[in-house]
DNA sequence: TATATTACTGACTCAGGAGTCAGTAATATA
DNA sequence: TATATTACTGACTCCTGAGTCAGTAATATA
C-alpha cells in the first residue's frame, strides 16, 4: 500500500526560533512536554512500545533523557500522555461532531470509517492503535488503561450507528457486537499495516481499501440474514 | 471472545517415557528439535518475538539454553524452523486439498476461511501470524523470509478463488487485490486478538465472528458495484 | 570394567536500555 | 554585576537477555 506520510519521517527538535543556534542549550519548560510526546508518538508507532528507547525519544525532541524524566515519571507515563493528547482528544471531538448527526445510518457509518481515517488512521496516532493491538499482552496496565479510555468509547460510537440502522430497517438484524468486531478489524489492520511494512494491504491505497470495505459492509448489512448464506455441504 | 485452547497453556517437557525420572538428565538427540520448536511456538505467540527469552524456550522444552544453541544457530533460526514446521507445512496441505476443488467460488471461499481457522487460526500457529503482523518492522530479515514463504502463497489461494467467482459471474468485478486485503484483515485480527487479550473481538466466539464475516462477504461480493453504495453527500 | 564419544549444562561475557543524580549553565532577581 | 533559582545534562548503576564455552555425565564401544 502506498502509505501517505511515511511514519518516522516526522521532524526532530520541533521549533527553534529564528535566532536560536540549534546546538545551544535552551530552557523551554512549556514546550518540552508536547515536544516529547510528539517524539514518543512517532517512535512508539515506528518501533512499538518495548523497542522504543527513551534515549531516542529524548534525542528526537532535542533534549537529554534526564530531561524526559523531569516531565514524565516512566515510559508508561509517557505513553499515557501520548494517548491522552492524541487518541482521547480525537475521540472526544468525534463524539461531539457526530452527536447531532441527522443523516442515514449508512452515512453515519461512512462518516465514522472515513473520519477515523482522517483523524487517526492516516496520522501518527495510528501507531498507538498498532502498538496496543500488538503489545497489550506484555503490558497489562497499559492495555487496561487504553481499554477504559479509548476502546470502550470507540465501540460505543459504532454500536449507536448500527443500532440506529437496525431500528430504522436500513440494516438487517445482525449481531451488533460481532458486527462491531468485523467492522473494526480492517481499520485496525490498516493501522497495523502502516507501521508493519509490507504485510497485508500493501497492494492498494488506504482510500480504495476503505471504500471497498464500506461497500462490502453496506451491501452485506442490507443483505445479511436475508438468504441462507452458508453454502450447502461446506465443512472444513 | 471466548478463546478456545488458552494459548500459553501448552505443556512443558513434552514426552517423558514412563520410566523416566523427570529430573534426570537424558540424551535425546532426535526429540530435541521438535520439542524446542513447539516450546518456541507457544512462547513466540504468547510474548512476541523480541519479548521471548530463549532461557524460557529452553526451560519449557526441558533443556538448558546451551542445548538450544546446539540445534539452532540463533533466535531467528529458531523462528524460521517454527515457521517451516507449522505454517509452510499447513499451507502446502491447503494447496493440495483445494487444488481439485469442484464447488462454487462461495464454497471455496468458505473452505478457505474456515479451513484457515481449523489449521492455523485456532492452533498455536496463529501466534506466528500475530508476531509477523506486529513485529515485522523491527526484524526485516524475518519479515522478508515470511513474506516469501507464507504470505505470497496465501494470497495466491485467495486470488484464485476470487478470480474464479468473478469469471463465473458469481461475484461482481471488485478489485481483486484490495478484496484480498479486506478478506484477510479479519482473519489476521482474529489471530492477533487471540494473543493480545481483550482488545477487539472479545465479545463473540471465533465461529460467530467468521460466520458474520463470511455472510457479509458473500452478500457484499454479490452486490458490490451493483448499486451506488456511497451515500450521497458523505464526505469526511 | 575401562575408555572414548558426545549430548548436555550453567556460569560466564557483553551489549543495550530504564531509571538516577550530582553537577552545569541559562535565566530571574538584587 | 553578583547571587539565587532551576531547567537541563550525561555519566552512572542496575538489570536483563543473547550468545559462548569449559566442563560434566550419559551412552557407545573396547
Amino acid at each position: 500500500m502506498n502509505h501517505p506520510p511515511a511514519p518516522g519521517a516526522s521532524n526532530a527538535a520541533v521549533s527553534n526560533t529564528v535566532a536560536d543556534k540549534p546546538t545551544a542549550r535552551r530552557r523551554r519548560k512549556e514546550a518540552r512536554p508536547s515536544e516529547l510526546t510528539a517524539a514518543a508518538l512517532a517512535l512508539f508507532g515506528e518501533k512499538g512500545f518495548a523497542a522504543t528507547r527513551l534515549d531516542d525519544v529524548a534525542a528526537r525532541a532535542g533534549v537529554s533523557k534526564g530531561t524526559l524524566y523531569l516531565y514524565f515519571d516512566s515510559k508508561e507515563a509517557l505513553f499515557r500522555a501520548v494517548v491522552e493528547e492524541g487518541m482521547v482528544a480525537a475521540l472526544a471531538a468525534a463524539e461531539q461532531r457526530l452527536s447531532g448527526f441527522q443523516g442515514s445510518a449508512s452515512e453515519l457509518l461512512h462518516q465514522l470509517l472515513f473520519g477515523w481515517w482522517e483523524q487517526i488512521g492516516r496520522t501518527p496516532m495510528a501507531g498507538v492503535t498498532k502498538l496496543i493491538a500488538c503489545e497489550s499482552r506484555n503490558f497489562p496496565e497499559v492495555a487496561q488503561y487504553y481499554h477504559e479510555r479509548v476502546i470502550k468509547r470507540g465501540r460505543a460510537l459504532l454500536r449507536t450507528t448500527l443500532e440506529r440502522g437496525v431500528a430504522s430497517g436500513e440494516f438487517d438484524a445482525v449481531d451488533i457486537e460481532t458486527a462491531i468486531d468485523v467492522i473494526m478489524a480492517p481499520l485496525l489492520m490498516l493501522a497495523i499495516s502502516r507501521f508493519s511494512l509490507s504485510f497485508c494491504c500493501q497492494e492498494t491505497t488506504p482510500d480504495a481499501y476503505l471504500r471497498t470495505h464500506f461497500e462490502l459492509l453496506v451491501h452485506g448489512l442490507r443483505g445479511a440474514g436475508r438468504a441462507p448464506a452458508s453454502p450447502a455441504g461446506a465443512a472444513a
Side-chain angles (χ1 to χ4, degrees), chain A:
Chain A
M1 182 173 290
N2 313 313
H3 291 133
S10 305
N11 37 21
V14 182
S15 65
N16 284 327
T17 350
V18 192
D20 283 358
K21 302 160 222 161
T23 45
R25 180 170 164 177
R26 281 289 116 93
R27 298 172 52 158
R28 293 163 58 245
K29 190 178 163 64
E30 292 72 25
R32 298 303 187 203
S34 61
E35 290 175 4
L36 283 164
T37 50
L41 172 56
L43 288 172
F44 279 150
E46 223 172 288
K47 315 259 194 191
F49 184 78
T52 292
R53 289 176 293 124
L54 294 188
D55 273 307
D56 288 348
V57 172
R60 191 184 191 109
V63 297
S64 72
K65 188 165 61 170
T67 299
L68 192 157
Y69 276 92
L70 292 178
Y71 296 100
F72 303 97
D73 287 346
S74 64
K75 200 177 188 182
E76 183 175 330
L78 177 62
F79 175 75
R80 291 186 192 228
V82 167
V83 172
E84 287 298 322
E85 216 176 76
M87 220 72 172
V88 175
L91 248 176
E95 286 167 353
Q96 183 67 30
R97 198 154 18 91
L98 296 179
S99 62
F101 190 84
Q102 293 299 324
S104 69
S106 287
E107 283 165 4
L108 189 47
L109 186 58
H110 191 273
Q111 286 277 342
L112 278 174
L113 293 185
F114 286 82
W116 173 86
W117 173 247
E118 285 300 317
Q119 304 303 318
I120 307 281
R122 72 187 191 82
T123 77
M125 282 311 295
V128 171
T129 304
K130 171 248 181 183
L131 185 160
I132 287 287
C134 293
E135 298 186 77
S136 56
R137 174 69 78 87
N138 292 334
F139 303 95
E141 304 82 11
V142 170
Q144 181 59 35
Y145 158 78
Y146 189 84
H147 191 261
E148 288 300 321
R149 300 287 291 166
V150 179
I151 297 177
K152 278 190 179 173
R153 291 165 74 180
R155 291 184 72 92
L157 281 175
L158 265 178
R159 189 176 301 113
T160 306
T161 304
L162 292 176
E163 282 169 353
R164 187 198 289 202
V166 171
S168 72
E170 196 176 349
F171 299 153
D172 293 326
V174 291
D175 176 63
I176 300 277
E177 297 306 320
T178 305
I180 291 175
D181 290 339
V182 176
I183 291 169
M184 286 177 68
L187 302 190
L188 301 177
M189 277 315 303
L190 202 46
I192 290 170
S193 80
R194 278 196 61 210
F195 292 88
S196 294
L197 89 164
S198 74
F199 182 53
C200 98
C201 325
Q202 70 277 54
E203 312 292 349
T204 44
T205 65
D207 192 62
Y209 181 83
L210 280 179
R211 272 189 283 110
T212 302
H213 179 42
F214 180 73
E215 297 230 348
L216 289 178
L217 269 181
V218 267
H219 285 100
L221 287 168
R222 275 174 185 150
R226 188 202 294 157
S230 310

